[in-house]
Amino acid sequence: MIVQLVVTAGNRRGQVIPVSEEKFIIGRAVDCHLRPSSELISRYHCAILVGDEVVVRDLGSRNGIRLNGEKINTEQKLQNGDKLVVGPLEFYIRMAADGDVLPELPSCLVVGTDTVFSSPNSSDIPTMSLEHLKTSCQKETIESE
């Protein structure tokens, strides 16, 4: 399974972070795979577990995590196009089965010419999540004008 976190906000918008382990830990501890320096992130904040399904699990963080706008307290299955918020970090979930083509990113997340993305297959992205992300991108464009 190919799983990526795509940053959706801030100066790193569009950056792709590969989920390279079966148990990918986000937190400030030195042994975490993704180590943001924000005090809003716990030492061991959450884990993304990759197997037959891809799930996210809160690891008892102070500030919790949000999936598609809802605070979650239990392990939740992730889908293409989901929006995951971990403290101040916002991610677009992008995934495909091994050998499949990754779905296209919304154009508001494609930044710069040095970023290379796979061929589109937008039917893999849930419409509701994609619409939510498009709305977020539109708000950002309006606010920056």
Side-chain angles (χ1 to χ4, degrees), residues 47-63:
I48 296 175
L49 309 170
V50 180
D52 292 336
E53 295 182 329
V54 179
V55 297
V56 62
R57 177 188 301 156
D58 190 307
L59 298 175
S61 65
R62 280 185 318 232
N63 296 311

Side-chain angles (χ1 to χ4, degrees), residues 109-122:
L109 293 180
V110 180
V111 197
T113 56
D114 57 340
T115 307
V116 178
F117 298 105
S118 298
S119 302
N121 188 355
S122 59

Side-chain angles (χ1 to χ4, degrees), residues 90-112:
E90 295 181 14
F91 301 106
Y92 171 87
I93 304 298
R94 190 171 182 225
M95 66 177 113
D98 289 332
D100 285 352
V101 175
L102 285 165
E104 178 182 14
L105 284 174
S107 60
C108 64
L109 293 180
V110 180
V111 197

Side-chain angles (χ1 to χ4, degrees), residues 25-98:
I25 308 291
I26 300 173
R28 291 183 295 117
V30 295
D31 57 339
C32 291
H33 300 98
L34 178 60
R35 296 188 322 252
S37 61
S38 172
E39 290 297 317
L40 297 173
I41 304 287
S42 298
R43 289 189 59 229
Y44 296 97
H45 201 97
C46 66
I48 296 175
L49 309 170
V50 180
D52 292 336
E53 295 182 329
V54 179
V55 297
V56 62
R57 177 188 301 156
D58 190 307
L59 298 175
S61 65
R62 280 185 318 232
N63 296 311
I65 56 178
R66 292 188 174 276
L67 182 60
N68 298 321
E70 300 287 326
K71 187 170 183 173
I72 60 171
N73 298 316
T74 60
E75 188 171 283
Q76 294 289 313
K77 183 177 175 183
L78 295 175
Q79 302 287 330
N80 279 315
D82 280 348
K83 180 180 178 184
L84 178 65
V85 177
V86 180
L89 307 175
E90 295 181 14
F91 301 106
Y92 171 87
I93 304 298
R94 190 171 182 225
M95 66 177 113
D98 289 332

